[in-house]
Amino acid sequence: MEIVYLNGEFLPQEKATVSVNDRGFLFSDGIYEVTPAYRGRFFLLDRHRERLLKGMCELRIDADLAPLAEVHDELLRQNGLAEEPVSIVYLQITRGVAPRTHAFPPTPVAPTVYAFAKAFHRPTPERWQEGFRAVTVPDRRWARVDIKTVSLLGNVLAQQAAVDAGVDDAILVRDGVALEGAHSNLFAVLGDALVTHPLSNVILPGITRGYILQLAREMGIPTEERPVQVEELRRADEAFFTGTTTEVKPCVAIDGEPVGEGRPGPITARLSEAFIERTDRHASQVTAAAGD
Ligand code: PDD
């Protein structure tokens, strides 16, 4: 039986219900976070919490995050995931329940806080070696995608376009620039350098993105944060996606054309190995150099 957390209580998922007047349901007026755990130990939880807090400030949603770490641990424990190689906790906070008016409820209401945990299964090494294919899709999202809101219709439609095209991922393109994946950040290897879009309002500041940049610098791989034109991306030596439910995922074809040699490149492989090694070390409670 799946146990979830809702507004201070742990309960079976079938018993967890929210009002039709919840502003998350009516307006997507809410925010979320997805945090990974390796053998039950949360990875970079502080960075996820900081991003959540920033988003809550932007949206002026007020919730007590003090019990957050305990709720995360307890969800893993109650769902038998404490020893799972990789699992995630999804946390969502909406502005709460109030009769429908566009502006915030005139009298503040308690936010709705919901969380669940589940196992995450990495692709097998064979599947990873095959690589993943993507299509480019126009980015039709709003202008503040740096805030991790539950308003994800643009991402949903982009990912569905990938499914409809029979491929794995979508690359969101705006004004000729390849921004990020439908649920991940995007990197390209151009010559010697690892390049990714700079932090701004048009991409999500991915926690994995930041960690991979940090790892690359430690490994002596030159990094650049600048916009990458989609035409430049098509000629890249390598490309890959990063994210909590993605880790490092090689992108080997874009719109049916191979990226580089059409298989995962050496920099992608090195970074993926280094990332997995760090998470393994974290799982066995050895403090990693990158400060996690
Ligand atoms: N998605 N960009 C977008 C649009 C995302 O939705 C995500 C994560 C990322 C990567 O962020 P991070 O490294 O912090 O996971 C980038 C989550 C996992 C999701 O929606 O399920």
PDB file of all heavy atoms in Angstrom, residues 32-36 48 51 88 90 141 145 148 152 155 172 180-186 203-210 242-247, ligand 1:
ATOM      1  N   TYR A  32       6.497  22.840  -6.987  1.00  0.00           N
ATOM      2  CA  TYR A  32       6.867  21.473  -6.616  1.00  0.00           C
ATOM      3  C   TYR A  32       8.369  21.304  -6.617  1.00  0.00           C
ATOM      4  O   TYR A  32       9.115  22.175  -7.083  1.00  0.00           O
ATOM      5  CB  TYR A  32       6.193  20.452  -7.546  1.00  0.00           C
ATOM      6  CG  TYR A  32       6.815  20.307  -8.918  1.00  0.00           C
ATOM      7  CD1 TYR A  32       7.526  19.155  -9.261  1.00  0.00           C
ATOM      8  CD2 TYR A  32       6.710  21.304  -9.877  1.00  0.00           C
ATOM      9  CE1 TYR A  32       8.099  19.012 -10.522  1.00  0.00           C
ATOM     10  CE2 TYR A  32       7.280  21.172 -11.130  1.00  0.00           C
ATOM     11  CZ  TYR A  32       7.968  20.017 -11.445  1.00  0.00           C
ATOM     12  OH  TYR A  32       8.542  19.888 -12.691  1.00  0.00           O
ATOM     13  N   GLU A  33       8.796  20.176  -6.105  1.00  0.00           N
ATOM     14  CA  GLU A  33      10.220  19.866  -6.038  1.00  0.00           C
ATOM     15  C   GLU A  33      10.346  18.349  -6.134  1.00  0.00           C
ATOM     16  O   GLU A  33       9.462  17.622  -5.656  1.00  0.00           O
ATOM     17  CB  GLU A  33      10.760  20.396  -4.702  1.00  0.00           C
ATOM     18  CG  GLU A  33      12.238  20.597  -4.585  1.00  0.00           C
ATOM     19  CD  GLU A  33      12.896  21.295  -5.762  1.00  0.00           C
ATOM     20  OE1 GLU A  33      12.650  22.493  -6.011  1.00  0.00           O
ATOM     21  OE2 GLU A  33      13.685  20.602  -6.433  1.00  0.00           O
ATOM     22  N   VAL A  34      11.382  17.875  -6.784  1.00  0.00           N
ATOM     23  CA  VAL A  34      11.637  16.431  -6.851  1.00  0.00           C
ATOM     24  C   VAL A  34      13.069  16.215  -6.390  1.00  0.00           C
ATOM     25  O   VAL A  34      14.003  16.757  -6.995  1.00  0.00           O
ATOM     26  CB  VAL A  34      11.451  15.869  -8.281  1.00  0.00           C
ATOM     27  CG1 VAL A  34      11.603  14.348  -8.280  1.00  0.00           C
ATOM     28  CG2 VAL A  34      10.105  16.256  -8.867  1.00  0.00           C
ATOM     29  N   THR A  35      13.231  15.446  -5.315  1.00  0.00           N
ATOM     30  CA  THR A  35      14.551  15.267  -4.712  1.00  0.00           C
ATOM     31  C   THR A  35      14.928  13.789  -4.739  1.00  0.00           C
ATOM     32  O   THR A  35      14.115  12.945  -4.356  1.00  0.00           O
ATOM     33  CB  THR A  35      14.532  15.782  -3.250  1.00  0.00           C
ATOM     34  OG1 THR A  35      14.026  17.110  -3.256  1.00  0.00           O
ATOM     35  CG2 THR A  35      15.921  15.782  -2.631  1.00  0.00           C
ATOM     36  N   PRO A  36      16.150  13.480  -5.178  1.00  0.00           N
ATOM     37  CA  PRO A  36      16.534  12.064  -5.239  1.00  0.00           C
ATOM     38  C   PRO A  36      17.158  11.588  -3.928  1.00  0.00           C
ATOM     39  O   PRO A  36      17.768  12.370  -3.192  1.00  0.00           O
ATOM     40  CB  PRO A  36      17.599  12.058  -6.345  1.00  0.00           C
ATOM     41  CG  PRO A  36      18.250  13.394  -6.243  1.00  0.00           C
ATOM     42  CD  PRO A  36      17.196  14.358  -5.741  1.00  0.00           C
ATOM     43  N   HIS A  48      17.811  21.650  -3.193  1.00  0.00           N
ATOM     44  CA  HIS A  48      16.405  21.531  -3.611  1.00  0.00           C
ATOM     45  C   HIS A  48      15.526  22.416  -2.729  1.00  0.00           C
ATOM     46  O   HIS A  48      14.616  23.093  -3.208  1.00  0.00           O
ATOM     47  CB  HIS A  48      15.953  20.069  -3.529  1.00  0.00           C
ATOM     48  CG  HIS A  48      16.470  19.238  -4.669  1.00  0.00           C
ATOM     49  ND1 HIS A  48      15.832  19.126  -5.877  1.00  0.00           N
ATOM     50  CD2 HIS A  48      17.602  18.494  -4.783  1.00  0.00           C
ATOM     51  CE1 HIS A  48      16.525  18.353  -6.689  1.00  0.00           C
ATOM     52  NE2 HIS A  48      17.615  17.946  -6.051  1.00  0.00           N
ATOM     53  N   ARG A  51      15.910  26.093  -3.681  1.00  0.00           N
ATOM     54  CA  ARG A  51      15.164  26.448  -4.895  1.00  0.00           C
ATOM     55  C   ARG A  51      13.673  26.560  -4.586  1.00  0.00           C
ATOM     56  O   ARG A  51      12.983  27.463  -5.066  1.00  0.00           O
ATOM     57  CB  ARG A  51      15.415  25.394  -5.990  1.00  0.00           C
ATOM     58  CG  ARG A  51      14.663  25.689  -7.275  1.00  0.00           C
ATOM     59  CD  ARG A  51      15.043  24.764  -8.413  1.00  0.00           C
ATOM     60  NE  ARG A  51      14.675  23.382  -8.164  1.00  0.00           N
ATOM     61  CZ  ARG A  51      15.028  22.361  -8.939  1.00  0.00           C
ATOM     62  NH1 ARG A  51      15.777  22.580 -10.019  1.00  0.00           N
ATOM     63  NH2 ARG A  51      14.664  21.130  -8.658  1.00  0.00           N
ATOM     64  N   ILE A  88      12.859   8.722  -5.412  1.00  0.00           N
ATOM     65  CA  ILE A  88      12.632  10.180  -5.429  1.00  0.00           C
ATOM     66  C   ILE A  88      11.472  10.511  -4.499  1.00  0.00           C
ATOM     67  O   ILE A  88      10.590   9.684  -4.281  1.00  0.00           O
ATOM     68  CB  ILE A  88      12.320  10.728  -6.846  1.00  0.00           C
ATOM     69  CG1 ILE A  88      11.106  10.035  -7.473  1.00  0.00           C
ATOM     70  CG2 ILE A  88      13.506  10.598  -7.776  1.00  0.00           C
ATOM     71  CD1 ILE A  88       9.920  10.916  -7.635  1.00  0.00           C
ATOM     72  N   TYR A  90       8.552  13.416  -4.433  1.00  0.00           N
ATOM     73  CA  TYR A  90       7.863  14.523  -5.103  1.00  0.00           C
ATOM     74  C   TYR A  90       7.114  15.301  -4.031  1.00  0.00           C
ATOM     75  O   TYR A  90       6.359  14.715  -3.260  1.00  0.00           O
ATOM     76  CB  TYR A  90       6.886  13.953  -6.138  1.00  0.00           C
ATOM     77  CG  TYR A  90       5.997  14.995  -6.779  1.00  0.00           C
ATOM     78  CD1 TYR A  90       6.341  15.574  -8.002  1.00  0.00           C
ATOM     79  CD2 TYR A  90       4.816  15.424  -6.164  1.00  0.00           C
ATOM     80  CE1 TYR A  90       5.528  16.537  -8.588  1.00  0.00           C
ATOM     81  CE2 TYR A  90       4.011  16.396  -6.739  1.00  0.00           C
ATOM     82  CZ  TYR A  90       4.371  16.947  -7.950  1.00  0.00           C
ATOM     83  OH  TYR A  90       3.576  17.914  -8.526  1.00  0.00           O
ATOM     84  N   ARG A 141       6.080  27.796 -23.363  1.00  0.00           N
ATOM     85  CA  ARG A 141       5.817  27.977 -21.928  1.00  0.00           C
ATOM     86  C   ARG A 141       5.798  29.453 -21.565  1.00  0.00           C
ATOM     87  O   ARG A 141       6.206  30.296 -22.344  1.00  0.00           O
ATOM     88  CB  ARG A 141       6.884  27.240 -21.116  1.00  0.00           C
ATOM     89  CG  ARG A 141       6.912  25.747 -21.392  1.00  0.00           C
ATOM     90  CD  ARG A 141       8.095  25.091 -20.716  1.00  0.00           C
ATOM     91  NE  ARG A 141       9.358  25.645 -21.181  1.00  0.00           N
ATOM     92  CZ  ARG A 141      10.527  25.446 -20.590  1.00  0.00           C
ATOM     93  NH1 ARG A 141      10.589  24.702 -19.498  1.00  0.00           N
ATOM     94  NH2 ARG A 141      11.628  25.966 -21.076  1.00  0.00           N
ATOM     95  N   VAL A 145       9.893  30.243 -16.354  1.00  0.00           N
ATOM     96  CA  VAL A 145      10.054  28.805 -16.123  1.00  0.00           C
ATOM     97  C   VAL A 145      11.216  28.501 -15.168  1.00  0.00           C
ATOM     98  O   VAL A 145      11.479  27.353 -14.850  1.00  0.00           O
ATOM     99  CB  VAL A 145      10.209  28.001 -17.438  1.00  0.00           C
ATOM    100  CG1 VAL A 145       9.012  28.214 -18.342  1.00  0.00           C
ATOM    101  CG2 VAL A 145      11.505  28.323 -18.142  1.00  0.00           C
ATOM    102  N   LYS A 148       9.767  26.627 -10.343  1.00  0.00           N
ATOM    103  CA  LYS A 148       9.331  25.245 -10.590  1.00  0.00           C
ATOM    104  C   LYS A 148       7.846  25.099 -10.253  1.00  0.00           C
ATOM    105  O   LYS A 148       7.478  24.436  -9.274  1.00  0.00           O
ATOM    106  CB  LYS A 148      10.206  24.287  -9.773  1.00  0.00           C
ATOM    107  CG  LYS A 148      10.251  22.867 -10.333  1.00  0.00           C
ATOM    108  CD  LYS A 148      11.390  22.088  -9.700  1.00  0.00           C
ATOM    109  CE  LYS A 148      11.288  20.601  -9.924  1.00  0.00           C
ATOM    110  NZ  LYS A 148      11.415  20.160 -11.297  1.00  0.00           N
ATOM    111  N   LEU A 152       2.619  22.967 -15.925  1.00  0.00           N
ATOM    112  CA  LEU A 152       3.579  22.287 -16.803  1.00  0.00           C
ATOM    113  C   LEU A 152       2.983  21.905 -18.159  1.00  0.00           C
ATOM    114  O   LEU A 152       3.489  20.998 -18.812  1.00  0.00           O
ATOM    115  CB  LEU A 152       4.112  21.026 -16.106  1.00  0.00           C
ATOM    116  CG  LEU A 152       5.073  21.256 -14.928  1.00  0.00           C
ATOM    117  CD1 LEU A 152       5.424  19.931 -14.250  1.00  0.00           C
ATOM    118  CD2 LEU A 152       6.345  21.955 -15.363  1.00  0.00           C
ATOM    119  N   ASN A 155       5.342  21.771 -20.998  1.00  0.00           N
ATOM    120  CA  ASN A 155       6.260  20.620 -20.891  1.00  0.00           C
ATOM    121  C   ASN A 155       5.526  19.329 -21.262  1.00  0.00           C
ATOM    122  O   ASN A 155       6.085  18.456 -21.926  1.00  0.00           O
ATOM    123  CB  ASN A 155       6.778  20.493 -19.457  1.00  0.00           C
ATOM    124  CG  ASN A 155       7.396  21.783 -18.956  1.00  0.00           C
ATOM    125  OD1 ASN A 155       6.710  22.794 -18.833  1.00  0.00           O
ATOM    126  ND2 ASN A 155       8.683  21.779 -18.691  1.00  0.00           N
ATOM    127  N   LEU A 172      13.298  21.933 -26.179  1.00  0.00           N
ATOM    128  CA  LEU A 172      12.492  23.144 -26.318  1.00  0.00           C
ATOM    129  C   LEU A 172      13.327  24.241 -26.964  1.00  0.00           C
ATOM    130  O   LEU A 172      14.446  24.529 -26.504  1.00  0.00           O
ATOM    131  CB  LEU A 172      11.997  23.583 -24.947  1.00  0.00           C
ATOM    132  CG  LEU A 172      11.087  22.544 -24.278  1.00  0.00           C
ATOM    133  CD1 LEU A 172      10.948  22.811 -22.799  1.00  0.00           C
ATOM    134  CD2 LEU A 172       9.725  22.537 -24.943  1.00  0.00           C
ATOM    135  N   GLU A 180      16.278  23.671 -23.195  1.00  0.00           N
ATOM    136  CA  GLU A 180      16.353  22.542 -22.256  1.00  0.00           C
ATOM    137  C   GLU A 180      15.416  21.449 -22.746  1.00  0.00           C
ATOM    138  O   GLU A 180      14.739  21.603 -23.762  1.00  0.00           O
ATOM    139  CB  GLU A 180      16.011  22.986 -20.829  1.00  0.00           C
ATOM    140  CG  GLU A 180      14.632  23.559 -20.632  1.00  0.00           C
ATOM    141  CD  GLU A 180      14.338  23.966 -19.174  1.00  0.00           C
ATOM    142  OE1 GLU A 180      14.999  23.484 -18.244  1.00  0.00           O
ATOM    143  OE2 GLU A 180      13.406  24.764 -18.992  1.00  0.00           O
ATOM    144  N   GLY A 181      15.382  20.322 -22.022  1.00  0.00           N
ATOM    145  CA  GLY A 181      14.468  19.248 -22.355  1.00  0.00           C
ATOM    146  C   GLY A 181      13.095  19.523 -21.744  1.00  0.00           C
ATOM    147  O   GLY A 181      12.912  20.506 -21.015  1.00  0.00           O
ATOM    148  N   ALA A 182      12.120  18.639 -22.017  1.00  0.00           N
ATOM    149  CA  ALA A 182      10.771  18.824 -21.462  1.00  0.00           C
ATOM    150  C   ALA A 182      10.778  18.643 -19.945  1.00  0.00           C
ATOM    151  O   ALA A 182       9.933  19.194 -19.249  1.00  0.00           O
ATOM    152  CB  ALA A 182       9.796  17.854 -22.109  1.00  0.00           C
ATOM    153  N   HIS A 183      11.740  17.851 -19.432  1.00  0.00           N
ATOM    154  CA  HIS A 183      11.836  17.681 -17.973  1.00  0.00           C
ATOM    155  C   HIS A 183      13.296  17.507 -17.555  1.00  0.00           C
ATOM    156  O   HIS A 183      13.611  16.742 -16.640  1.00  0.00           O
ATOM    157  CB  HIS A 183      10.976  16.499 -17.494  1.00  0.00           C
ATOM    158  CG  HIS A 183      11.235  15.243 -18.265  1.00  0.00           C
ATOM    159  ND1 HIS A 183      12.203  14.344 -17.900  1.00  0.00           N
ATOM    160  CD2 HIS A 183      10.674  14.773 -19.396  1.00  0.00           C
ATOM    161  CE1 HIS A 183      12.209  13.367 -18.771  1.00  0.00           C
ATOM    162  NE2 HIS A 183      11.299  13.597 -19.696  1.00  0.00           N
ATOM    163  N   SER A 184      14.179  18.218 -18.249  1.00  0.00           N
ATOM    164  CA  SER A 184      15.615  18.089 -17.965  1.00  0.00           C
ATOM    165  C   SER A 184      16.346  19.289 -18.542  1.00  0.00           C
ATOM    166  O   SER A 184      15.799  20.007 -19.382  1.00  0.00           O
ATOM    167  CB  SER A 184      16.145  16.804 -18.605  1.00  0.00           C
ATOM    168  OG  SER A 184      15.861  16.818 -19.992  1.00  0.00           O
ATOM    169  N   ASN A 185      17.571  19.496 -18.115  1.00  0.00           N
ATOM    170  CA  ASN A 185      18.426  20.517 -18.743  1.00  0.00           C
ATOM    171  C   ASN A 185      19.238  19.875 -19.864  1.00  0.00           C
ATOM    172  O   ASN A 185      19.305  18.642 -19.964  1.00  0.00           O
ATOM    173  CB  ASN A 185      19.354  21.158 -17.700  1.00  0.00           C
ATOM    174  CG  ASN A 185      18.591  22.044 -16.734  1.00  0.00           C
ATOM    175  OD1 ASN A 185      18.496  21.746 -15.556  1.00  0.00           O
ATOM    176  ND2 ASN A 185      18.032  23.130 -17.222  1.00  0.00           N
ATOM    177  N   LEU A 186      19.823  20.724 -20.689  1.00  0.00           N
ATOM    178  CA  LEU A 186      20.488  20.252 -21.899  1.00  0.00           C
ATOM    179  C   LEU A 186      21.931  20.755 -21.948  1.00  0.00           C
ATOM    180  O   LEU A 186      22.179  21.926 -21.657  1.00  0.00           O
ATOM    181  CB  LEU A 186      19.703  20.802 -23.105  1.00  0.00           C
ATOM    182  CG  LEU A 186      20.235  20.510 -24.498  1.00  0.00           C
ATOM    183  CD1 LEU A 186      20.172  19.014 -24.807  1.00  0.00           C
ATOM    184  CD2 LEU A 186      19.423  21.283 -25.544  1.00  0.00           C
ATOM    185  N   ILE A 203      15.006  28.995 -18.497  1.00  0.00           N
ATOM    186  CA  ILE A 203      15.260  27.577 -18.159  1.00  0.00           C
ATOM    187  C   ILE A 203      15.063  27.372 -16.664  1.00  0.00           C
ATOM    188  O   ILE A 203      15.137  28.329 -15.884  1.00  0.00           O
ATOM    189  CB  ILE A 203      16.693  27.092 -18.545  1.00  0.00           C
ATOM    190  CG1 ILE A 203      17.779  27.808 -17.720  1.00  0.00           C
ATOM    191  CG2 ILE A 203      16.944  27.190 -20.031  1.00  0.00           C
ATOM    192  CD1 ILE A 203      19.112  27.071 -17.687  1.00  0.00           C
ATOM    193  N   LEU A 204      14.875  26.114 -16.286  1.00  0.00           N
ATOM    194  CA  LEU A 204      14.832  25.788 -14.860  1.00  0.00           C
ATOM    195  C   LEU A 204      16.270  25.672 -14.351  1.00  0.00           C
ATOM    196  O   LEU A 204      17.102  25.037 -15.007  1.00  0.00           O
ATOM    197  CB  LEU A 204      14.104  24.456 -14.644  1.00  0.00           C
ATOM    198  CG  LEU A 204      13.918  24.148 -13.157  1.00  0.00           C
ATOM    199  CD1 LEU A 204      12.693  24.874 -12.616  1.00  0.00           C
ATOM    200  CD2 LEU A 204      13.812  22.674 -12.891  1.00  0.00           C
ATOM    201  N   PRO A 205      16.568  26.304 -13.203  1.00  0.00           N
ATOM    202  CA  PRO A 205      17.920  26.137 -12.651  1.00  0.00           C
ATOM    203  C   PRO A 205      18.054  24.742 -12.042  1.00  0.00           C
ATOM    204  O   PRO A 205      17.878  24.545 -10.840  1.00  0.00           O
ATOM    205  CB  PRO A 205      18.007  27.245 -11.587  1.00  0.00           C
ATOM    206  CG  PRO A 205      16.598  27.521 -11.190  1.00  0.00           C
ATOM    207  CD  PRO A 205      15.723  27.171 -12.363  1.00  0.00           C
ATOM    208  N   GLY A 206      18.327  23.774 -12.894  1.00  0.00           N
ATOM    209  CA  GLY A 206      18.366  22.369 -12.461  1.00  0.00           C
ATOM    210  C   GLY A 206      19.464  22.143 -11.420  1.00  0.00           C
ATOM    211  O   GLY A 206      20.584  22.636 -11.581  1.00  0.00           O
ATOM    212  N   ILE A 207      19.134  21.370 -10.411  1.00  0.00           N
ATOM    213  CA  ILE A 207      20.127  21.047  -9.382  1.00  0.00           C
ATOM    214  C   ILE A 207      21.194  20.124  -9.997  1.00  0.00           C
ATOM    215  O   ILE A 207      22.382  20.275  -9.734  1.00  0.00           O
ATOM    216  CB  ILE A 207      19.443  20.378  -8.160  1.00  0.00           C
ATOM    217  CG1 ILE A 207      18.293  21.255  -7.614  1.00  0.00           C
ATOM    218  CG2 ILE A 207      20.478  20.041  -7.073  1.00  0.00           C
ATOM    219  CD1 ILE A 207      18.680  22.652  -7.194  1.00  0.00           C
ATOM    220  N   THR A 208      20.759  19.205 -10.834  1.00  0.00           N
ATOM    221  CA  THR A 208      21.715  18.300 -11.491  1.00  0.00           C
ATOM    222  C   THR A 208      22.603  19.089 -12.449  1.00  0.00           C
ATOM    223  O   THR A 208      23.816  18.833 -12.537  1.00  0.00           O
ATOM    224  CB  THR A 208      20.964  17.177 -12.249  1.00  0.00           C
ATOM    225  OG1 THR A 208      19.809  16.810 -11.501  1.00  0.00           O
ATOM    226  CG2 THR A 208      21.845  15.969 -12.482  1.00  0.00           C
ATOM    227  N   ARG A 209      22.022  20.056 -13.162  1.00  0.00           N
ATOM    228  CA  ARG A 209      22.805  20.927 -14.064  1.00  0.00           C
ATOM    229  C   ARG A 209      23.958  21.570 -13.297  1.00  0.00           C
ATOM    230  O   ARG A 209      25.109  21.528 -13.739  1.00  0.00           O
ATOM    231  CB  ARG A 209      21.879  22.003 -14.652  1.00  0.00           C
ATOM    232  CG  ARG A 209      22.580  23.098 -15.430  1.00  0.00           C
ATOM    233  CD  ARG A 209      21.617  24.286 -15.675  1.00  0.00           C
ATOM    234  NE  ARG A 209      22.293  25.389 -16.324  1.00  0.00           N
ATOM    235  CZ  ARG A 209      23.097  26.264 -15.684  1.00  0.00           C
ATOM    236  NH1 ARG A 209      23.306  26.159 -14.391  1.00  0.00           N
ATOM    237  NH2 ARG A 209      23.663  27.227 -16.367  1.00  0.00           N
ATOM    238  N   GLY A 210      23.640  22.167 -12.151  1.00  0.00           N
ATOM    239  CA  GLY A 210      24.668  22.844 -11.359  1.00  0.00           C
ATOM    240  C   GLY A 210      25.732  21.873 -10.889  1.00  0.00           C
ATOM    241  O   GLY A 210      26.933  22.179 -10.910  1.00  0.00           O
ATOM    242  N   THR A 242      20.259  16.419 -18.373  1.00  0.00           N
ATOM    243  CA  THR A 242      20.483  16.147 -16.950  1.00  0.00           C
ATOM    244  C   THR A 242      19.217  16.456 -16.162  1.00  0.00           C
ATOM    245  O   THR A 242      18.448  17.341 -16.532  1.00  0.00           O
ATOM    246  CB  THR A 242      21.616  17.032 -16.356  1.00  0.00           C
ATOM    247  OG1 THR A 242      21.213  18.405 -16.417  1.00  0.00           O
ATOM    248  CG2 THR A 242      22.936  16.836 -17.057  1.00  0.00           C
ATOM    249  N   GLY A 243      19.037  15.739 -15.067  1.00  0.00           N
ATOM    250  CA  GLY A 243      17.902  16.005 -14.185  1.00  0.00           C
ATOM    251  C   GLY A 243      17.828  14.951 -13.109  1.00  0.00           C
ATOM    252  O   GLY A 243      18.522  13.927 -13.176  1.00  0.00           O
ATOM    253  N   THR A 244      16.971  15.212 -12.149  1.00  0.00           N
ATOM    254  CA  THR A 244      16.814  14.290 -11.021  1.00  0.00           C
ATOM    255  C   THR A 244      16.312  12.931 -11.497  1.00  0.00           C
ATOM    256  O   THR A 244      16.790  11.895 -11.052  1.00  0.00           O
ATOM    257  CB  THR A 244      15.833  14.913 -10.002  1.00  0.00           C
ATOM    258  OG1 THR A 244      16.459  16.094  -9.499  1.00  0.00           O
ATOM    259  CG2 THR A 244      15.497  13.973  -8.878  1.00  0.00           C
ATOM    260  N   THR A 245      15.364  12.927 -12.425  1.00  0.00           N
ATOM    261  CA  THR A 245      14.843  11.657 -12.934  1.00  0.00           C
ATOM    262  C   THR A 245      15.465  11.334 -14.300  1.00  0.00           C
ATOM    263  O   THR A 245      14.908  10.579 -15.085  1.00  0.00           O
ATOM    264  CB  THR A 245      13.303  11.724 -13.055  1.00  0.00           C
ATOM    265  OG1 THR A 245      12.981  12.917 -13.784  1.00  0.00           O
ATOM    266  CG2 THR A 245      12.636  11.772 -11.700  1.00  0.00           C
ATOM    267  N   THR A 246      16.627  11.904 -14.539  1.00  0.00           N
ATOM    268  CA  THR A 246      17.315  11.739 -15.829  1.00  0.00           C
ATOM    269  C   THR A 246      18.772  11.364 -15.588  1.00  0.00           C
ATOM    270  O   THR A 246      19.368  10.631 -16.375  1.00  0.00           O
ATOM    271  CB  THR A 246      17.258  13.086 -16.617  1.00  0.00           C
ATOM    272  OG1 THR A 246      15.897  13.454 -16.810  1.00  0.00           O
ATOM    273  CG2 THR A 246      17.952  13.001 -17.953  1.00  0.00           C
ATOM    274  N   GLU A 247      19.346  11.905 -14.495  1.00  0.00           N
ATOM    275  CA  GLU A 247      20.780  11.825 -14.204  1.00  0.00           C
ATOM    276  C   GLU A 247      21.523  12.376 -15.426  1.00  0.00           C
ATOM    277  O   GLU A 247      21.255  13.513 -15.812  1.00  0.00           O
ATOM    278  CB  GLU A 247      21.167  10.400 -13.798  1.00  0.00           C
ATOM    279  CG  GLU A 247      20.421   9.983 -12.516  1.00  0.00           C
ATOM    280  CD  GLU A 247      20.880   8.668 -11.938  1.00  0.00           C
ATOM    281  OE1 GLU A 247      21.113   7.728 -12.705  1.00  0.00           O
ATOM    282  OE2 GLU A 247      20.984   8.581 -10.689  1.00  0.00           O
TER     283      GLU A 247
HETATM  284  N1  PDD B   1      12.068  17.885 -13.722  1.00  0.00           N
HETATM  285  N2  PDD B   1      14.256  21.425 -16.627  1.00  0.00           N
HETATM  286  C1  PDD B   1      12.962  21.073 -16.473  1.00  0.00           C
HETATM  287  C2  PDD B   1      11.941  21.700 -17.353  1.00  0.00           C
HETATM  288  C3  PDD B   1      12.602  20.118 -15.497  1.00  0.00           C
HETATM  289  O1  PDD B   1      11.322  19.783 -15.329  1.00  0.00           O
HETATM  290  C4  PDD B   1      13.617  19.516 -14.708  1.00  0.00           C
HETATM  291  C5  PDD B   1      13.309  18.506 -13.640  1.00  0.00           C
HETATM  292  C6  PDD B   1      14.958  19.898 -14.908  1.00  0.00           C
HETATM  293  C7  PDD B   1      16.093  19.323 -14.098  1.00  0.00           C
HETATM  294  O2  PDD B   1      16.111  19.818 -12.779  1.00  0.00           O
HETATM  295  P1  PDD B   1      16.756  18.986 -11.584  1.00  0.00           P
HETATM  296  O3  PDD B   1      18.126  18.636 -12.004  1.00  0.00           O
HETATM  297  O4  PDD B   1      16.704  19.924 -10.453  1.00  0.00           O
HETATM  298  O5  PDD B   1      15.895  17.752 -11.394  1.00  0.00           O
HETATM  299  C8  PDD B   1      15.233  20.866 -15.863  1.00  0.00           C
HETATM  300  C9  PDD B   1      11.553  17.087 -12.630  1.00  0.00           C
HETATM  301  C10 PDD B   1      12.449  16.006 -12.194  1.00  0.00           C
HETATM  302  C11 PDD B   1      10.135  16.649 -12.927  1.00  0.00           C
HETATM  303  O6  PDD B   1       9.394  17.497 -13.428  1.00  0.00           O
HETATM  304  O7  PDD B   1       9.744  15.523 -12.605  1.00  0.00           O
END
